[in-house]
Amino acid sequence: MHPLLSLTVSGLLALALTLEKDSSLDCVPRKYVPYHNRLIMKHGLRTCGDLSLGDNAHLFREEGVFNYSIMLLREDLNLLVLGAREAVYALDLNDISKKLSSVKWEVTQKQKENCKNKGKDPETECKNYIRILHKMADDKMYVCGTNAFDPECDYMSYADGKLTLEKKAEDGKGKCPFDPFQRYASIMYENYLYSATSMNFLGSEPVLMRSSPVSIRTEFKSSWLHEPNFVAMAQMPESEMSAQGDDDKVYLFFSETAVECDCYNKLVVSRVARVCKGDLGGQRTLQKKWTSFLKARIDCPVLESQLPYIIQDTFRWCGPQQRWKDCLFYAIFTPQSDTSDLSAVCAYRVSEISRVFAEGKYKTPVPVETSFVKWVMYSGDVPVPRPGACIDNEARKAGITQTLDLPDRTLQFIKDRPLMDQAIRPIGDKPVLVRRGPTFTRIIVNQVQATDGEKYYVMFIGTEKGTVLKTVNYDGDTFIIEEVQLFQSEEPINILKFSNITGQIYAGSDYGAAQIPLATCGRSSSCMDCVLARDPYCGWDKDVGKCIFLSDSQSELIQSVKEGDASLCPDAEPFKPMNRSIWPGGNLKLHCHLPSNLAKTTWERDGSPLTPSTRLQLLGDGLLILNASESDAGLYRCLSVERSRADEYTTTVAEYHVGIGPTGSGRGNPITPQAQVGGPSVTGLQIIVGLLVVSLLALLAWNFYNGHLPLPWNCRKQNREQSQDIHIHGDPNSGVAYQDAPRTALAEDKPLVPGTDNGTGNNHHTRGEAAFSAAEESETDGPKVTVPSLQYIDDESEI
Ligand SMILES: *[C@@H]1O[C@H](CO)[C@@H](O)[C@H](O)[C@H]1NC(C)=O
Ligand SMILES: *[C@@H]1O[C@H](CO)[C@@H](O)[C@H](O)[C@H]1NC(C)=O
Ligand SMILES: *[C@@H]1O[C@H](CO)[C@@H](O)[C@H](O)[C@H]1NC(C)=O
Ligand SMILES: *[C@@H]1O[C@H](CO)[C@@H](O)[C@H](O)[C@H]1NC(C)=O
């Protein structure tokens, strides 16, 4: 190869890698737990004895039944009630693979016929998809289904181990969607159903409705709801200890086409809306409609994204005291356009949302030109009582004790102006997590007190690939502890629930339901792995020599979630090397699985580092020796080098005595090399190099085009080099660069050391000169995020 050419190539490579390194968005989960491994563990086929098999995943699915998309936790009955297509199940909350009872709810032939005649697909749309499952005050359950595009609700009870539908056949219009593919939201609050869905066959009449003796709903006006996509609902007991005598609220999260956007194309924005529990509608104006429906834009600013991200799910987190002012909403956002594969999580204070509705300014429509309307901040007089406010002490003092007493002026104002001027901003004005990869679908958040006394929020995020990501943000440093594959096929997680009674997470998809614990600490078999996992639920118990769940232990555990400081770990027992032998000229693979995706492998032979070459190839899962000769004999050691904030730790993962000749176990079976590194012709090389240059230039251009830089999220700088898609190994002799086999996901719970019976790693760590500066790390907070540039006019006076 021409030296100049090779210089150019390596320069470009370096540049490309630097750019890619900046991409903290690719944040690799420290462990990846594949589906089959879990199953193996479940059936106890594992040989490695020190994993606790008891707390592993459980699955439920029934042959021929699909769309497991609604769950009700009946902790009082120790049940998980699971709704699927045409069926409801009662499962054991502690082990959902145990079905206790089930009830079918199928559409009749006549209903199916009707549905088909209206142009719907008889095999998909004309079925009964269970969409609503709530507990009633009398311990019964309220259940609704799409019922072949004719929604229906019913009451269901569980007694003597049996689920029973009462067959009351209540009209489900406005409660449950007609269309099974349409998103909706509902909650049961003080025995009234609050639902957000479309109330007609065409799906053109969206409502937020309360089904009470006097049903209250939204107006059919595009300024109220404009082609909405409902996401979630939550109630908030804001009357508690309220000095103003405020009412409880129901919040609704959704996205809709923006009416206020001063733009040509349709723009979708995320919203939060809320109503007051005690709302009875107006007397003449807004009769049987909400007088307290207010909405605001909710922002999650991702990079310099021009288009606002769209809300997909929210989780209400409240502390153990359940004081509403401490509550948070965590929300998932995905891009508006398909050009990006980022997903984000933002967190919001309920008190902040509440404040915007209680004190913020309104937007008002102002006609400009002939048919065009601009939405601007309203700066005129606001009527009293304040439009959209709940009935409070001040209103009561003025003789207004219910919304029916509200004056027309207040009602007319809110009828025309339900939108707040101010948008809701996330805590810290930026997302808590942004990640490239499988789209996020659902989220739950749990708080845990680690051994350092601090409380951490742990996010469990479902993805469209059937995995759950477990993520913690340690002082702005995003760390993905693990990614667990819950379902065999890559199907979206469409529901996630958490029970603090069982401490289990429940997930649903089209093909089944799954249950996992908050943590499976036993996946770490060494102290080093346990501590570097930085899982706030897990710590190493020196006395029993196991990684265990915090609350299961009375003794002091070794844990260091913020720093990943494993210096307190005891030295592990020395290794018993395995014996391997090969014939001269033969091939041998020495297996070595690292417990972490963030660790790098290095190999030693007889104590000195091994340089990979065409004959000694480093693979993702081991070392390949080709065309062995006498000089290949020796003691091989596979080392895992993992850097945390505290230090760089080196552990021995495997050791092999390799002899030449037919001694030992003789398991040196021939292996065909995977990477073709023979002796390609010079022309071939030049072509490859040329192609490399072109693709690198494309990669660079793509990086810039997509604006992946600069990147404000601090995702383990030291891990970034692990997160590149391309891994390049250079052969110093030939100057040939070739691409490694695709990074294989680490199956961390294979026996780490084949042949060792104690299963503990040998952890002599190298401390000192390469000490990693934690201070430096935490300073790189990155540039500030810019607000999405929606074109708003701030004030009426600007027109
Ligand atoms: C129901 O599950 C099937 C998978 O069998 C899927 O193709 C379909 O889209 C799902 N329907 C809904 C409404 O989610
Ligand atoms: C579950 O949560 C409730 C409300 O936060 C709390 O009172 C209760 O102690 C929790 N139970 C467990 C087992 O943690
Ligand atoms: C490897 O071979 C040596 C003798 O060559 C023997 O002492 C040792 O026990 C063997 N180790 C294993 C794990 O079989
Ligand atoms: C294997 O190595 C020997 C020298 O040790 C060499 O003569 C031979 O050509 C090599 N075979 C292959 C296929 O590279």
Side-chain angles (χ1 to χ4, degrees):
M1 197 187 347
H2 194 280
L4 209 69
L5 191 53
S6 98
L7 206 70
T8 322
V9 172
S10 38
L12 280 171
L13 276 176
L15 183 54
L17 289 181
T18 326
L19 287 182
E20 277 297 301
K21 260 182 207 176
D22 264 351
S23 183
S24 54
L25 306 176
D26 295 304
C27 224
V28 177
R30 186 172 180 275
K31 278 181 201 274
Y32 183 81
V33 186
Y35 176 81
H36 63 275
N37 280 34
R38 258 203 25 230
L39 268 198
I40 289 168
M41 286 154 72
K42 193 182 168 200
H43 296 141
L45 296 178
R46 285 190 41 93
T47 47
C48 195
D50 56 352
L51 286 182
S52 54
L53 302 174
D55 58 358
N56 276 303
H58 299 291
L59 292 171
F60 173 80
R61 66 162 306 206
E62 198 150 90
E63 209 49 45
V65 179
F66 300 97
N67 314 95
Y68 301 83
S69 54
I70 182 89
M71 287 176 177
L72 171 64
L73 299 177
R74 287 296 305 262
E75 287 154 336
D76 54 333
L77 302 173
N78 201 29
L79 289 185
L80 177 74
V81 185
L82 175 66
R85 194 168 78 179
E86 318 230 293
V88 182
Y89 299 94
L91 311 175
D92 183 336
L93 193 60
N94 292 303
D95 177 357
I96 63 163
S97 63
K98 291 187 190 142
K99 183 173 86 175
L100 301 174
S101 178
S102 69
V103 56
K104 288 240 170 255
W105 185 359
E106 290 166 314
V107 295
T108 62
Q109 202 52 40
K110 189 159 164 281
Q111 285 167 325
K112 198 165 176 172
E113 212 48 48
N114 270 341
C115 173
K116 198 176 139 197
N117 291 342
K118 289 177 192 162
K120 299 297 174 188
D121 185 315
E123 290 317 307
T124 59
E125 294 166 303
C126 297
K127 299 244 179 186
N128 190 23
Y129 293 80
I130 307 301
R131 284 290 176 260
I132 285 176
L133 266 179
H134 293 297
K135 180 175 182 276
M136 311 277 298
D138 59 2
D139 272 4
K140 284 186 190 166
M141 287 165 271
Y142 197 61
V143 48
C144 307
T146 60
N147 199 39
F149 260 81
D150 184 17
E152 209 174 271
C153 297
D154 200 352
Y155 297 85
M156 185 173 69
S157 54
Y158 181 80
D160 306 323
K162 215 169 150 356
L163 274 183
T164 322
L165 281 171
E166 293 187 355
K167 308 229 159 62
K168 290 258 171 69
E170 270 188 16
D171 187 5
K173 275 186 198 62
K175 300 174 182 172
C176 176
F178 285 67
D179 183 346
F181 290 97
Q182 212 171 51
R183 290 205 60 183
Y184 67 100
S186 78
I187 57 165
M188 185 70 79
Y189 190 28
E190 298 191 349
N191 232 24
Y192 291 148
L193 180 76
Y194 292 74
S195 51
T197 186
S198 210
M199 68 182 306
N200 64 345
F201 182 87
L202 291 176
S204 55
E205 290 176 354
V207 287
L208 164 61
M209 179 168 111
R210 184 184 65 213
S211 305
S212 40
V214 182
S215 281
I216 305 290
R217 63 168 173 84
T218 42
E219 277 277 346
F220 293 131
K221 274 182 91 173
S222 65
S223 56
W224 283 49
L225 293 169
H226 194 18
E227 300 169 12
N229 200 22
F230 300 113
V231 163
M233 258 190 203
Q235 93 278 4
M236 206 48 75
E238 296 183 29
S239 64
E240 238 170 52
M241 293 189 292
S242 165
Q244 293 82 38
D246 199 358
D247 194 5
D248 298 340
K249 313 282 193 330
V250 170
Y251 286 89
L252 168 67
F253 295 87
F254 62 107
S255 58
E256 65 172 350
T257 305
V259 283
E260 75 272 30
C261 177
D262 190 13
C263 47
Y264 289 105
N265 293 326
K266 202 157 106 168
L267 181 80
V268 179
V269 291
S270 305
R271 301 273 200 220
V272 53
R274 69 105 171 100
V275 291
C276 305
K277 186 183 76 180
D279 199 339
L280 296 172
Q283 189 64 258
R284 285 179 300 276
T285 311
L286 291 180
Q287 208 179 67
K288 294 187 184 175
K289 308 281 156 49
W290 297 109
T291 66
S292 58
F293 180 83
L294 287 176
K295 62 177 183 178
R297 202 178 84 221
I298 184 164
D299 285 340
C300 185
V302 177
L303 294 173
E304 294 82 6
S305 172
Q306 293 297 302
L307 296 174
Y309 270 46
I310 308 300
I311 196 163
Q312 299 297 349
D313 191 33
T314 60
F315 179 82
R316 186 190 88 152
W317 182 88
C318 297
Q321 278 89 42
Q322 301 273 320
R323 285 182 39 233
W324 75 269
K325 280 199 173 154
D326 303 332
C327 294
L328 305 175
F329 283 117
Y330 276 81
I332 281 177
F333 288 80
T334 59
Q336 182 136 179
S337 59
D338 299 332
T339 55
S340 149
D341 55 354
L342 295 177
S343 302
V345 178
C346 277
Y348 305 86
R349 269 184 243 289
V350 174
S351 53
E352 168 64 10
I353 299 177
S354 178
R355 193 190 56 77
V356 168
F357 288 127
E359 297 165 18
K361 296 211 181 306
Y362 303 83
K363 269 199 196 305
T364 187
V366 176
V368 289
E369 296 163 10
T370 41
S371 61
F372 193 64
V373 170
K374 265 187 195 305
W375 284 76
V376 299
M377 189 181 87
Y378 178 82
S379 48
D381 289 339
V382 174
V384 179
R386 182 181 159 90
C390 304
I391 302 297
D392 58 8
N393 291 342
E394 207 172 301
R396 284 182 204 108
K397 229 180 280 167
I400 299 166
T401 58
Q402 50 179 352
T403 57
L404 292 163
D405 306 332
L406 285 170
D408 267 347
R409 211 167 95 82
T410 293
L411 295 176
Q412 195 58 49
F413 187 99
I414 205 65
K415 187 176 174 185
D416 296 336
R417 300 171 191 85
L419 178 62
M420 305 309 295
D421 182 61
Q422 193 184 338
I424 314 283
R425 304 286 299 174
I427 297 170
D429 245 12
K430 65 177 187 183
V432 279
L433 172 67
V434 180
R435 187 170 187 255
R436 182 178 297 127
T439 306
F440 295 173
T441 56
R442 294 292 185 273
I443 185 169
I444 56 177
V445 178
N446 186 242
Q447 197 188 48
V448 57
Q449 184 164 16
T451 56
D452 61 8
E454 274 196 53
K455 289 177 176 165
Y456 298 97
Y457 293 102
V458 186
M459 296 180 274
F460 295 86
I461 299 168
T463 73
E464 61 169 5
K465 299 278 193 213
T467 61
V468 168
L469 292 167
K470 180 177 180 181
T471 302
V472 193
N473 194 314
Y474 293 119
D475 296 338
D477 167 15
T478 298
F479 190 74
I480 302 181
I481 296 166
E482 60 187 10
E483 178 167 15
V484 182
Q485 180 87 42
L486 287 188
F487 299 102
Q488 189 156 24
S489 50
E490 295 190 340
E491 53 207 72
I493 304 277
N494 53 31
I495 186 163
L496 268 188
K497 292 263 185 192
F498 171 69
S499 161
N500 80 339
I501 302 292
T502 61
Q504 301 277 307
I505 293 166
Y506 304 88
S509 74
D510 281 344
Y511 292 88
Q515 168 194 354
I516 50 167
L518 287 169
T520 306
C521 305
R523 277 193 197 115
S524 296
S525 54
S526 71
C527 177
M528 188 73 75
D529 189 37
C530 181
V531 173
L532 293 181
R534 298 171 72 191
D535 188 328
Y537 297 105
C538 301
W540 183 262
D541 188 326
K542 263 198 276 197
D543 302 334
V544 296
K546 279 183 184 171
C547 190
I548 60 174
F549 201 79
L550 245 55
S551 53
D552 291 350
S553 166
Q554 309 301 322
S555 52
E556 202 175 308
L557 300 179
I558 303 174
Q559 187 192 57
S560 169
V561 289
K562 269 194 188 161
E563 302 296 324
D565 180 357
S567 58
L568 290 177
C569 277
D571 285 342
E573 286 158 49
F575 263 86
K576 288 194 202 101
M578 315 251 306
N579 290 335
R580 289 282 185 272
S581 70
I582 24 169
W583 290 99
N587 303 328
L588 176 67
K589 183 169 173 185
L590 302 176
H591 287 271
C592 177
H593 277 289
L594 297 196
S596 162
N597 288 323
L598 307 181
K600 278 182 292 196
T601 321
T602 57
W603 283 85
E604 280 178 357
R605 183 172 58 208
D606 298 329
S608 37
L610 206 67
T611 331
S613 67
T614 46
R615 281 200 326 102
L616 288 175
Q617 294 187 14
L618 265 185
L619 306 178
D621 59 346
L623 178 74
L624 191 56
I625 304 173
L626 299 170
N627 191 15
S629 65
E630 290 294 335
S631 63
D632 289 328
L635 178 68
Y636 287 75
R637 182 180 282 156
C638 174
L639 301 166
S640 152
V641 183
E642 185 163 2
R643 201 184 276 175
S644 73
R645 275 189 171 198
D647 206 341
E648 185 173 274
Y649 297 96
T650 305
T651 37
T652 304
V653 179
E655 254 180 32
Y656 298 93
H657 257 305
V658 175
I660 305 295
T663 54
S665 58
R667 270 189 276 163
N669 46 333
I671 290 158
T672 10
Q674 287 179 350
Q676 176 54 48
V677 289
S681 69
V682 175
T683 348
L685 258 184
Q686 280 167 348
I687 291 172
I688 291 169
V689 165
L691 285 175
L692 255 177
V693 171
V694 170
S695 48
L696 278 168
L697 285 173
L699 184 66
L700 284 180
W702 184 81
N703 262 299
F704 281 118
Y705 174 76
N706 279 286
H708 288 156
L709 334 159
L711 300 153
W713 295 278
N714 200 352
C715 171
R716 305 288 301 159
K717 213 193 312 179
Q718 68 269 36
N719 307 331
R720 284 172 194 160
E721 56 201 282
Q722 299 289 323
S723 60
Q724 296 137 21
D725 292 335
I726 32 173
H727 269 234
I728 302 204
H729 299 293
D731 178 350
N733 303 319
S734 64
V736 180
Y738 60 90
Q739 222 166 308
D740 195 7
R743 267 170 51 82
T744 44
L746 282 175
E748 78 303 322
D749 59 352
K750 293 218 175 118
L752 293 181
V753 189
T756 51
D757 41 14
N758 55 7
T760 43
N762 184 10
N763 48 358
H764 52 85
H765 30 270
T766 50
R767 307 200 51 160
E769 80 281 323
F772 182 77
S773 163
E776 247 173 58
E777 169 83 341
S778 55
E779 268 166 29
T780 50
D781 234 338
K784 244 187 128 56
V785 190
T786 51
V787 192
S789 58
L790 282 178
Q791 282 290 306
Y792 295 116
I793 295 173
D794 285 341
D795 203 281
E796 260 173 298
S797 55
E798 289 182 28
I799 298 187

